[in-house]
Structures are given as structure tokens and as C-alpha cells.
Amino acid sequence: MSSKYLYPVDTDQFEDIRERGLLYVDKTSMLFDLVSKYRYVFLSRPRRFGKSLLCNTFRAYFNGQKELFEGLKIASLEKEWKRYPVLQFAMSGLKNLDLAEAREKLGYLIEDYEVMYGINNAGKTPGTRFRSLIHTAHAKAGEKVAIIIDEYDSPVLSLLHQPEERDAMRRMMREFFQVLKDEGAHIRFVFMTGITKFSQMSIFSELNNLKNISMMPEYSGLCGITKTELETMLRPNVADLAERMGCTTEEAYDKIKEYYDGYHFCEESEDVYAPYSLLNALNDGKVKEFWFESGTSSSLMENLKHYPLATAFSYDGVTVILDDFAIPCEEATTPMPLLFQSGYLSIDSYNRTLDTYTLRFPNKEVRNGLINNLMPLVMHQTRRDGNALVTNMTQSIYDGDLSGALLHLRSYIAGIPYDIITKEEWDNKEKREGFYKLLMYMVFSILNSRVRCENKCILGRADVVIGTAKDVFVLELKVDDTVENALRQIDDKSYAIQWSADGRRVTKCGVRIDSERRNITQWRLVDEKDETIGEKTFAVGQ
């Protein structure tokens, strides 16, 4: 690695980053703006998006650590640099705990400050102890208190579909958060972060002066790395990455955009890149999937099990109103709010006339990671089975051998448990067809190639489009119908026309699924002149 670039891939501590001279993308002018305008602020952002670093930056600011901000924008904005007492609570330590364990852990977090201020409140409720702590800190310091709460929703998120346990946990946390409203006379500033929104939590219902900046355009780049920052202050870093990858700087930009871009948090959001993944790519000199490698959200996967898993992929390209994806997660009848608020879906576009939003998976890293983790759950196959299938199909696709890839897929389907979907679902033609389209989407999406499922064109959608450097394969799937009708639909709906002028070989493919045999029983490949270039039909018993 180039010695002139040192990246904060092992720390979210602002003080550590500044003292070690690590790369810091300056967000301090927005921090100053928030402190100047508001007293109670809430920000929702996905995991690994820099929320904890922002919290620690607020802590250093309110601690009056002026020396850490030298050379940053806030240095010319702040004139006083007063020191305030700071109470900071990272609630991530309370996730996946039962009520008693969470109460005990929260007590330890409070006790650290009680020792500092010489308070003995053993045996009292978390809220009572928090109230006493705020009073004492204000009295001893002579300044009002700055309070920072990171990942407020961690204790509740893992209990989303356990109503009794969730509500009990929420009552305890409400008693704690209620103090923030009651003790406003002793509070200078409150900053809270989270991933998801829960109803009836005090920060949304009782703390009615809390400013939710999560979808305010002027703060869309407060966490993460914006396109502007990447193309200006980080251009030398991208050039260094390109040199190490053996490509041009513009090619490196294209690659990191494909993997890490695509986050938009409101209708006028800046273009935001995932900071954890981007910084790791710059550090390692390699573009790959870092977000899921750092640990898939176990809470998300558990919560998704309470919905038909196939629906997770049906929202890639869905058009909805704001209430459909910004409502509290436990009130939702679909996983869409959870997927959006957790960063697995993002705003792709906004129609001002209709006041509607189109949501998509933000980038290749998220899409592939989600598919990799859900495929074993959806298909009841092991991750190893899926990896073997993808390896074999990838080789066939890059050899231009779509028939070979479909043979591997057919063998994989044969191993899927017979009861993977219910008889009622199987008797519904639309659901049968949807299941196999989902299977093809998931498989082709994790190939090392460009994939579009239900690809939109002027007259309709192709089920799957697979693109490599030399080939474009346009596939249409039919359940209990003919390959002739599948190929006719490709032509009638002009699915392949958009690919006809880009220099690659275009192959159209009709695929037939037999619902009785529960597998692919025929396919036919034709070229752009509608001449058959490959066909396979399987007799009963094959």
C-alpha cells in the first residue's frame, strides 16, 4: 500500500483517527450547522455507514477538544470551544439480549458515569439513574449536558416479531428515553442514531421536539462518502487504487461505483457511497464485497424469515409512496421498510408529479450479498451447493455456452426439496412461475457477469438478461407452456432490440418448466436471425 494513504479501517474513534493522521472526510461543517440549529437530532442510516464515527466526532466537539479539529471546516466556524459534560451510550451492546440481560448491561453503561461523578444509585431503574446522572453532571460541570445515543434500536430490533418480549424491552427503553424530554432544562444537545424506526418509542412519540434529519437533503451526505468527495478530495486515492489494480483511474471509478454507490436517502439526496466498503477497497487495493464479509445482520435474516423470502427480491425496482417504506417496522406487512431502513434498498428515483419513489438494491455488493445469504434459506440448499452451481455456470456462461449453464441449473433444481413451496402455492400458476423466475434471478445474479432480472424495456420485461464481454443472453421462462411462445414473447415485446447494436452476440432463449416434473424440460436458443442454434428436450424420467 502507498505509504501516503492511511485509512481508518480498524477504528471509528475520531480522536484516534486525527491523532494517527488517518484519512478523514470532513463533515464538520454539517456538524456545526446541526448544533447551531437544533437541540434534539435523530439520524437513521444503515450499518457500517459511519454513525459511530459521527457520534464520536460530536463527543470530541462537546468535550472542547479544539486541537483535534485543526485544519477542518469547523475550526473557522466555532469561536468559543466550550467544554460540556458528555454522556454517550452505545446501545449496540444490548442487541440479542433478553430483558434482564439488557437491563443489566444498560446499568453497567450508566454505572461508568456514576463512578465518574460519585453517584450511588444502585437498585434504581435505568431512567431514574439517567435522570440523576444528568442533574449531577450539569451541577458539577456548570454547563448543560450533551447526550449521544448510538444505535438506539439495537435492543428492540432482534425482537421485531416477538411482540411480548419486544414490548417489554420497549417499555424499559421508553423509561430511559423519557428522561430526555423531561430534563430539557439540563440538556445542551441530544444526538441519536439508529437503523430502523419503531413506533411508540419515546424518541418518536413522546419526544416530539426531536428533529429527524434522515431524509433532509442538506444532511444526505452526513454519513458515507459523497460522489463529490470521491471525485475531488479522494481522486488521488482512487488513482492509487487504479495503479494497484492495473487499470485506469476512470475504470477504477466505474468499478467502485458498481459495487459501493447507489445510496440516496431522500428525493434530492447526494449520491452516497458505502464508506466501510469503499475505504477497505482503497486500503486493500481491491474491489470486492466487504459489507457482508464484515458480518451479515443476523437480526435482518431472522426478521426476513417471517415473510415469504421470495418477496425480498420483488422490491428491486418497485414504485411506492413514502408511507410504504418509511413506516415503523413492526407495523409493516411486508419486509420493504426493514429492507429500506437497513440499507438493502435505496431510493433510485423520485417522481415529483406523482409523489412516488422507485426503490432498488443500491449496488452489486448489496444485491449479491443478500442473494448469497438468502439463497440457502429460499432454496433449502446449502451454501456449498449454491457455490458449486455458480462456479460451474460461470464457466459455461463465459465460454458462451448457455446450454451448459442450463444443464447445471437443471441438476441443481433436481436437488431442491419437493415441499419447498406449499401445495396451495404450487397450484397457483402465477406463484409457480414466480418461484422459478426467482430461482433463475438468484442464480444468475451471483454469477460474475452483468445480470438483469425482469429487465424493463418499452413494451414489457424480459425475465433474465445475462451479459458478458462477448455475449448477451435474453431468457424468457414459461411454466406449462411452450418454448415457441416464450421466444415469440421475446420478439413481440422487443426484449432483445436494445442489445442488437452494442457489438456483442445476442442469443434469445425460451425455457419451459413442467409443473408436474418440477424442473426444466426444454429450452431452445435462437440467434438474431431467428435461426435455431441449440435445443434440448428431456423425456420423462430424464
Side-chain angles (χ1 to χ4, degrees):
M1 172 180 156
S2 176
S3 60
K4 60 182 176 179
Y5 301 127
L6 298 171
Y7 299 101
V9 295
D10 61 351
T11 181
D12 57 13
Q13 299 298 314
F14 176 74
E15 183 174 359
D16 187 31
I17 289 171
R18 297 296 288 166
E19 289 180 345
R20 290 167 58 190
L22 305 180
L23 177 74
Y24 176 73
V25 179
D26 191 355
K27 309 286 187 179
T28 58
S29 61
M30 284 186 278
L31 182 149
F32 183 80
D33 187 62
L34 285 172
V35 171
S36 302
K37 289 181 179 178
Y38 309 112
R39 270 211 308 151
Y40 292 79
V41 176
F42 173 77
L43 176 69
S44 174
R45 286 294 183 266
R47 58 185 288 273
R48 294 291 194 179
F49 232 85
K51 299 188 300 297
S52 296
L53 171 58
L54 182 60
C55 287
N56 294 328
T57 308
F58 270 111
R59 180 183 64 197
Y61 169 76
F62 281 110
N63 273 332
Q65 295 175 276
K66 179 180 179 180
E67 70 282 359
L68 296 179
F69 295 88
E70 290 181 6
L72 301 180
K73 294 174 183 177
I74 200 171
S76 62
L77 298 172
E78 180 58 73
K79 306 302 180 184
E80 294 186 350
W81 289 103
K82 293 175 65 175
R83 182 180 178 88
Y84 298 89
V86 178
L87 304 177
Q88 182 174 5
F89 299 92
M91 297 300 184
S92 58
L94 277 64
K95 65 183 176 183
N96 299 321
L97 301 181
D98 63 28
L99 180 63
E101 293 169 334
R103 185 188 300 275
E104 182 179 27
K105 185 65 177 288
L106 180 58
Y108 290 147
L109 297 178
I110 298 171
E111 185 179 13
D112 289 341
Y113 289 107
E114 289 174 334
V115 172
M116 180 188 304
Y117 287 104
I119 303 171
N120 182 7
N121 275 327
K124 297 184 179 179
T125 67
T128 299
R129 296 171 66 182
F130 190 25
R131 189 185 312 274
S132 174
L133 186 56
I134 292 171
H135 282 229
T136 304
H138 184 190
K140 291 195 172 184
E143 297 288 350
K144 294 183 179 181
V145 181
I147 299 172
I148 302 164
I149 298 177
D150 193 13
E151 297 192 26
Y152 89 96
D153 52 350
S154 284
V156 185
L157 185 56
S158 60
L159 304 174
L160 182 59
H161 293 281
Q162 302 174 49
E164 291 186 10
E165 293 85 351
R166 180 194 67 213
D167 291 345
M169 184 74 74
R170 192 161 48 189
R171 284 192 293 271
M172 182 191 75
M173 299 308 299
R174 183 189 295 124
E175 193 257 350
F176 181 80
F177 290 132
Q178 173 68 41
V179 174
L180 298 174
K181 179 180 180 180
D182 296 343
E183 302 305 326
H186 302 277
I187 295 173
R188 166 65 181 87
F189 186 77
V190 172
F191 183 68
M192 304 183 69
T193 78
I195 295 176
T196 54
K197 181 179 179 182
F198 286 89
S199 65
Q200 301 179 24
M201 286 286 276
S202 60
I203 67 168
F204 293 112
S205 57
E206 297 166 10
L207 194 58
N208 52 19
N209 57 344
L210 183 70
K211 187 66 177 180
N212 187 345
I213 65 169
S214 304
M215 295 189 70
M216 293 177 65
E218 59 267 42
Y219 302 116
S220 58
L222 183 57
C223 287
I225 296 174
T226 68
K227 179 181 179 182
T228 300
E229 291 164 342
L230 186 64
E231 293 181 347
T232 53
M233 70 168 292
L234 293 182
R235 177 163 282 273
N237 307 73
V238 178
D240 181 63
L241 172 67
E243 182 179 349
R244 297 163 68 193
M245 291 175 60
C247 64
T248 68
T249 299
E250 294 312 311
E251 287 172 338
Y253 268 111
D254 289 343
K255 196 68 173 176
I256 59 181
K257 179 178 181 61
E258 178 185 16
Y259 271 80
Y260 311 134
D261 189 18
Y263 292 96
H264 305 95
F265 298 107
C266 58
E267 56 267 27
E268 299 175 8
S269 173
E270 289 192 71
D271 212 21
V272 183
Y273 287 68
Y276 176 83
S277 299
L278 177 57
L279 292 175
N280 271 279
L282 294 174
N283 184 77
D284 291 3
K286 180 186 300 184
V287 175
K288 65 175 189 176
E289 295 165 14
F290 290 98
W291 200 42
F292 277 83
E293 193 178 79
S294 69
T296 307
S297 172
S298 58
S299 294
L300 175 78
M301 293 302 148
E302 285 300 316
N303 287 326
L304 284 180
K305 290 179 182 179
H306 293 269
Y307 305 97
L309 291 172
T311 62
F313 303 101
S314 65
Y315 302 114
D316 187 21
V318 69
T319 298
V320 291
I321 63 173
L322 179 63
D323 285 348
D324 289 333
F325 63 90
I327 64 173
C329 288
E330 78 274 30
E331 296 179 1
T333 57
T334 76
M336 191 197 313
L338 181 65
L339 289 167
F340 174 77
Q341 293 171 39
S342 300
Y344 296 86
L345 288 173
S346 188
I347 296 170
D348 183 66
S349 61
Y350 172 69
N351 187 315
R352 190 172 298 279
T353 302
L354 301 178
D355 195 25
T356 57
Y357 298 80
T358 298
L359 307 182
R360 289 195 185 279
F361 295 149
N363 50 54
K364 188 172 184 177
E365 178 183 48
V366 169
R367 185 191 66 205
N368 287 358
L370 187 60
I371 290 170
N372 271 320
N373 281 275
L374 282 182
M375 192 168 180
L377 300 178
V378 174
M379 301 305 166
H380 297 188
Q381 297 277 59
T382 68
R383 180 77 171 269
R384 182 177 179 181
D385 292 331
N387 289 342
L389 169 68
V390 169
T391 299
N392 292 329
M393 290 187 68
T394 299
Q395 186 61 58
S396 295
I397 291 293
Y398 277 101
D399 288 342
D401 181 11
L402 181 58
S403 286
L406 291 172
L407 280 172
H408 290 300
L409 177 58
R410 189 175 186 274
S411 296
Y412 179 82
I413 293 174
I416 294 175
Y418 192 80
D419 59 352
I420 189 169
I421 62 175
T422 66
K423 183 180 185 303
E424 181 182 359
E425 291 173 321
W426 193 257
D427 290 340
N428 184 309
K429 182 177 184 297
E430 183 179 341
K431 290 186 177 181
R432 288 200 308 270
E433 187 167 340
F435 169 77
Y436 283 104
K437 286 183 178 181
L438 170 67
L439 170 60
M440 295 181 75
Y441 171 77
M442 295 180 76
V443 169
F444 287 120
S445 286
I446 55 178
L447 296 175
N448 187 20
S449 61
R450 185 181 180 191
V451 178
R452 297 189 181 188
C453 180
E454 296 286 343
N455 184 64
K456 292 182 180 178
C457 63
I458 295 174
L459 299 177
R461 303 166 175 244
D463 286 335
V464 178
V465 177
I466 313 163
T468 68
K470 297 179 181 180
D471 291 281
V472 174
F473 300 106
V474 181
L475 292 83
E476 184 64 26
L477 171 70
K478 292 295 182 183
V479 177
D480 297 331
D481 202 343
T482 65
V483 294
E484 289 83 5
N485 283 339
L487 290 166
R488 186 176 299 115
Q489 182 171 328
I490 292 174
D491 290 335
D492 290 347
K493 298 294 186 178
S494 303
Y495 292 158
I497 287 179
Q498 61 183 303
W499 313 106
S500 62
D502 74 352
R504 289 180 289 179
R505 180 177 56 190
V506 177
T507 300
K508 297 175 284 187
C509 179
V511 180
R512 182 182 190 274
I513 292 281
D514 187 300
S515 64
E516 290 296 323
R517 294 162 63 183
R518 297 199 174 198
N519 210 328
I520 298 171
T521 56
Q522 185 182 14
W523 62 76
R524 182 180 302 159
L525 284 64
V526 302
D527 61 17
E528 292 181 272
K529 297 179 181 179
D530 289 325
E531 295 181 358
T532 298
I533 56 176
E535 185 170 8
K536 185 72 174 177
T537 302
F538 296 88
V540 176
Q542 285 185 297

